Amino acid sequence: MASSTLTMAARELANYPGAVGLPAPSPEPRWYAAYTCANHEKRVAAELGARDVEHFLPLYSSMRLWKDRRVQLQLPLFPGYVFVRLAVRDRQHVVQIPSVVRLVGFGGLPTALPDTEVDIMRSGLSQSLCAEPHPFLTVGRRVRITGGPFAGLEGILKRKRSNLRVVVSLALIQRSVSVEVSAADLAPV
């Protein structure tokens, strides 16, 4: 049923003037961004784990000052998103979760993220490096990270205090993350 719906949607889109043909959905698992309700990312990740769906929810530590104490919180690095790895035909396993709004895509079809970007992000963040959310940027000096855990990613060079940071952006979900890097590990694009 789902594959026939995808085929019909692709056929209808092809009838519009100037429409570019969409590739057929891949039967092998790919990474997709699942858009969630606000502050439900951990709940969605727990439900995905219970359903045996491979997922990735990057978190960062943030110290918050409350009236009477300091609290160390684990917050999502990309608020509102959980990354899932599945074949597009199995997307109902994810979108049936109550706090999931949809899989991010275009024309009603989910769009896969580049596997290399997600794999580099997973391996880099697993090494407990200092990463924090950053507003999505499109201007600035573009650099390629040539060494370290984020090698192969491109981003925008920024300075924070005396350290160099690179803002790495995922254009599909319009979110960015700022990571600390050494000047020796950067090359201009």
Side-chain angles (χ1 to χ4, degrees):
M1 173 88 177
S3 63
S4 65
T5 306
L6 290 175
T7 321
M8 287 177 15
R11 220 176 308 138
E12 289 175 10
L13 185 61
N15 292 335
Y16 290 108
V20 177
L22 295 173
S26 175
E28 74 254 2
R30 302 282 311 269
W31 283 105
Y32 296 93
Y35 182 60
T36 67
C37 295
N39 301 321
H40 285 230
E41 299 90 354
K42 290 181 185 177
R43 189 173 298 144
V44 168
E47 185 65 31
L48 288 168
R51 294 180 184 211
D52 291 327
V53 175
E54 185 178 357
H55 64 281
F56 172 50
L57 175 61
L59 300 172
Y60 73 102
S61 293
S62 176
M63 180 67 72
R64 300 292 169 100
L65 297 174
W66 291 356
K67 284 193 284 188
D68 56 345
R69 64 186 181 276
R70 291 181 174 199
V71 178
Q72 186 81 20
L73 297 175
Q74 293 292 317
L75 300 173
L77 199 52
F78 299 101
Y81 296 93
V82 176
F83 302 100
V84 295
R85 183 173 175 81
L86 55 99
V88 74
R89 69 177 178 271
D90 298 329
R91 71 177 186 255
Q92 289 301 317
H93 295 298
V94 175
V95 296
Q96 288 176 346
I97 296 173
S99 296
V100 173
V101 177
R102 68 179 181 280
L103 292 180
V104 177
F106 301 100
L109 298 174
T111 302
L113 295 163
D115 287 340
T116 55
E117 282 187 15
V118 177
D119 291 339
I120 291 171
M121 193 76 71
R122 285 181 77 181
S123 66
L125 292 172
S126 68
Q127 297 180 17
S128 63
L129 295 174
C130 180
E132 58 191 31
H134 195 280
F136 184 76
L137 297 174
T138 57
V139 296
R141 185 169 181 197
R142 297 215 36 101
V143 293
R144 178 183 308 274
I145 302 173
T146 59
F150 294 102
L153 291 180
E154 291 184 8
I156 299 170
L157 183 63
K158 291 294 215 180
R159 225 178 245 291
K160 184 173 181 180
R161 299 185 193 113
S162 62
N163 299 328
L164 290 177
R165 297 186 74 79
V166 174
V167 178
V168 178
S169 300
L170 295 175
L172 180 66
I173 62 172
Q174 298 287 303
R175 294 284 191 257
S176 299
V177 62
S178 171
V179 294
E180 195 168 314
V181 294
S182 168
D185 293 337
L186 296 176
V189 175

